[in-house]
Amino acid sequence: GEFQDCGDCMTSYQVSVAAESFAAGLLAHAGYQVLVQYGANQPLYDLVAVKERRILKVSVKGTQLAGWQLTGGFKKGRSYSEAVDVWVQKHGRDLVFLFVQFLAVPLGTMPEVFVARAHMVAAHLKRAKRGHGDTTLRWKHIWKSGLAEGCTDTMPETWKFTQERIDSV
């Protein structure tokens, strides 16, 4: 399945290190000063990106699977929409996320990177599965059964990391 382990892929630790490194590199390339928090499991954000008077708190989410599991921990006893609301309350609606996708990315090539604020991610999760909602931000996922059969959930093209996107998000 889409969320199974994949043989000789990176470990989750390696994915985290690689994702943060790619994100820091992209931000620096885009003209930002990048500050990295010291220590493991920092609260809410991993990097601070500064450009002129613009200051972004950035949470980096890397994966080598077909999506980023975001709100599952808040789902028990809640609807998808309610779980998303609790997630966005925890993170703050303006936290900037960089989603780094390593699935089938050959060594030495650039992974796809997407940029969105928490409130944008929340709205996208609520629209997933034909409006039924989801706990996972999907990357090129076609639903084969259930309420969303035949529907495709994927990252919005407008979220792709570009100079314009990071400067305006």
Side-chain angles (χ1 to χ4, degrees):
E2 65 182 335
F3 290 103
Q4 291 179 350
D5 196 21
C6 56
D8 50 330
C9 292
M10 295 182 282
T11 66
S12 62
Y13 173 77
Q14 290 165 330
V15 169
S16 295
V17 170
E20 279 190 35
S21 299
F22 270 102
L26 277 173
L27 290 163
H29 196 188
Y32 287 79
Q33 297 294 321
V34 180
L35 309 168
V36 179
Q37 289 203 72
Y38 179 75
N41 298 316
Q42 291 297 326
L44 299 183
Y45 60 93
D46 304 297
L47 310 170
V48 176
V50 180
K51 185 177 186 181
E52 297 162 6
R53 293 179 180 226
R54 186 171 169 77
I55 300 171
L56 304 175
K57 290 180 181 175
V58 180
S59 178
V60 180
K61 301 292 183 196
T63 190
Q64 59 190 343
L65 303 174
W68 296 265
Q69 173 58 254
L70 298 176
T71 66
F74 303 105
K75 177 70 175 81
K76 188 172 181 167
R78 296 184 176 104
S79 69
Y80 288 110
S81 183
E82 290 167 339
V84 169
D85 288 341
V86 172
W87 176 84
V88 85
Q89 279 180 333
K90 177 185 175 205
H91 290 89
R93 55 178 273 108
D94 290 325
L95 182 64
V96 175
F97 284 88
L98 264 64
F99 296 99
V100 184
Q101 177 53 267
F102 289 106
L103 182 64
V105 175
L107 183 63
T109 61
M110 183 70 184
E112 282 194 80
V113 180
F114 303 89
V115 182
R117 295 225 180 230
H119 67 91
M120 298 168 181
V121 174
H124 190 75
L125 285 171
K126 287 181 179 185
R127 288 191 305 268
K129 290 191 339 196
R130 282 211 176 94
H132 295 283
D134 201 352
T135 60
T136 302
L137 193 57
R138 307 282 175 165
W139 183 70
K140 299 179 183 176
H141 181 78
I142 300 169
W143 293 97
K144 302 212 184 318
S145 63
L147 296 169
E149 184 175 356
C151 175
T152 300
D153 283 333
T154 193
M155 300 296 279
E157 283 292 313
T158 57
W159 289 10
K160 283 193 174 182
F161 190 102
T162 63
Q163 185 75 57
E164 181 181 351
R165 180 67 179 168
I166 193 62
D167 286 346
S168 65
V169 71

